Amino acid sequence: DVKSDDAYSLSLLIKTSMQEGDLIFIKDINNQILAKYSSSDVYGGEIQTTVFPCDQIVLEYITYENLPEISITEVNHGLENIFRASTVNWNISSQDYCNDHITCLDESEYKITERSVVLLMIDGTYLMSGVLINNALNDGTPYLLTAAHGFTANDFETAKFQARRTVFYFDYQVWGCQKEIIPSYDKIIVGADLLAFDKGLDMALLRLSSNPPPDFRPYYAGWNLTTHPSNATYWIQHPLGDPKNM
């Protein structure tokens, strides 16, 4: 039983040597299953859970062998409510007044490329955006480009450790421009390998721990090496952890 009073949300870092066939269930206080994890979810000897919208959860371990080593090494207490349709009235008071939910826009050219934009939760505490990118081999390797400032680390090795604990949320957006409806947050991949990291350039290149399945609607954004910038640009992101905006 894990409780942190007045938390908007909780997430856990679990250290475990799970055996094949074992299961971990995360439940709420009403015994409703919030998440299920197996040995395939262990990355580097750890499971970084998704975020649960409550201040108390129960961890249940199912095994048919001897109980292996397991410990909760970190509990992240949500100070802000990320489970909402929007934090800001973009049309009135924000400096980002020109933003709008991606599904409220009619431009068809954005309907494909927006699927490459992913919400990241780094180290259980920091929310930011990233983009799934293609490569010259066009082989579907899940490379993701994001900013280095989302990592509290200043060196590669520490940032590499944080990348292994990062949660990636796909398709986190309102549907049909229904801004009052909280989006789904169940399309996730946990963990990535850090391939390149530069705080000065504010860039980080990662390779996700697994390929996003088709129902995640992944799109691998294209790029080229031209030195001539485009005449028009647009920015699709998750500002302040909001559902996808442009």
Side-chain angles (χ1 to χ4, degrees), residues 80-87 127 172 181-183 239-243:
E80 294 186 11
N81 182 17
I82 66 169
F83 299 99
R84 74 295 195 215
S86 183
T87 54
L127 296 168
Y172 187 71
I181 296 178
I182 298 174
L240 302 177
D242 263 8

Side-chain angles (χ1 to χ4, degrees), residues 122-143:
I122 299 176
D123 219 10
T125 58
Y126 197 92
L127 296 168
M128 64 181 305
S129 308
V131 58
L132 202 61
I133 60 172
N134 204 352
N135 66 83
L137 295 178
N138 200 29
D139 61 2
T141 301
Y143 294 119

Side-chain angles (χ1 to χ4, degrees), residues 169-191:
Y169 296 84
F170 288 76
D171 244 4
Y172 187 71
Q173 60 197 54
V174 301
W175 291 102
C177 198
Q178 300 179 64
K179 302 181 183 182
E180 71 281 0
I181 296 178
I182 298 174
S184 169
Y185 54 91
D186 57 351
K187 296 178 180 178
I188 64 170
I189 289 176
V190 178

Side-chain angles (χ1 to χ4, degrees), residues 46-68:
E46 296 175 323
I47 295 174
Q48 173 67 64
T49 73
T50 186
V51 178
F52 306 110
C54 47
D55 66 356
Q56 186 173 1
I57 53 179
V58 177
L59 187 150
E60 181 179 297
Y61 196 105
I62 306 296
T63 182
Y64 299 99
E65 305 291 340
N66 294 325
L67 185 67

